[in-house]
Amino acid sequence: MTYSCEFSQEEFDKWTIVDANEDDVKWQWFNLSWAKADGAYFIADRTPADDYIVSHPIEFESGATYKLSLSHIANGNHNLGFLLLADYGLETPVQEIGEIEVSRGWEVAEKEITFTVASGGDYNLAIHFIARHNYFAAQRCHAFSGSP
C-alpha cells in the first residue's frame, strides 16, 4: 500500500476537519507563497489549538510496518500526534501511532515516524495538533508499507 497526499486544495477538501475545542480556529488550506509551501495549515495565533485533520479511509495491512513522512514548516516548537481511526471515531482510536516534534523553521523540513499496524483494515489517518499559540503547515503526507 502506498498513499500520498500533497495537500493540494482539491486533496485537502477530501479530509475531514475536526474543531475539537470548538473555538472556530481549525485546519485550513493555505498557500504560503514565499516558502513555496501550499497545503494544510493550522494557524493558532491567539487561541490554543487542539484540533484534528482526518483522512478518508485508507487500507492498512495487518502486521505491516509503515513509514509516515510529513513535510512541514512551523512558527514554533510543538508536537503532532498521529492516530488510526475506524469510521472517523476519535473517541476510541484503533491505534495511537505516536508523535513527532515539529521545530520552528523558515524552510520546509521533513519528519518521519514508523509504526506497525496491529490489526489491518480500512482506517482513517488523523493528525492531531496541540499548541498554546503557533502556526503550523503540513505540506505533504506520505505513508507506505515496507521496512523502515
Side-chain angles (χ1 to χ4, degrees):
M1 180 283 283
T2 300
Y3 174 76
S4 177
C5 177
E6 299 294 325
F7 280 120
S8 66
Q9 186 159 13
E10 180 181 339
E11 289 172 325
F12 176 81
D13 291 342
K14 295 176 185 174
W15 287 63
T16 299
I17 308 305
V18 179
D19 184 7
N21 59 357
E22 299 178 346
D23 63 355
D24 207 31
V25 177
K26 51 194 165 198
W27 288 90
Q28 60 187 298
W29 187 87
F30 189 75
N31 181 8
L32 190 60
S33 57
W34 63 266
K36 297 182 179 145
D38 59 334
Y41 279 73
F42 195 96
I43 301 172
D45 57 352
R46 293 190 175 97
T47 60
D50 180 12
D51 297 284
Y52 297 84
I53 183 168
V54 182
S55 75
H56 54 80
I58 303 168
E59 182 181 355
F60 288 88
E61 296 177 28
S62 184
T65 298
Y66 294 86
K67 179 169 62 175
L68 177 67
S69 301
L70 182 74
S71 299
H72 65 85
I73 188 168
N75 185 26
N77 301 329
H78 54 275
N79 289 346
L80 287 175
F82 296 88
L83 308 166
L84 289 183
L85 311 176
D87 297 322
Y88 300 88
L90 285 167
E91 300 79 26
T92 54
V94 172
Q95 183 173 335
E96 293 186 21
I97 295 171
E99 293 186 352
I100 61 169
E101 184 179 338
V102 176
S103 302
R104 181 182 180 131
W106 300 109
E107 295 181 6
V108 175
E110 189 153 320
K111 293 281 186 157
E112 295 179 346
I113 189 169
T114 302
F115 63 100
T116 301
V117 175
S119 179
D122 290 340
Y123 300 129
N124 312 100
L125 174 65
I127 304 173
H128 185 200
F129 179 78
I130 300 175
R132 279 184 258 146
H133 304 289
N134 269 318
Y135 107 137
F136 169 77
Q139 187 182 1
R140 281 183 232 103
C141 183
H142 307 278
F144 54 92
S145 65
S147 299

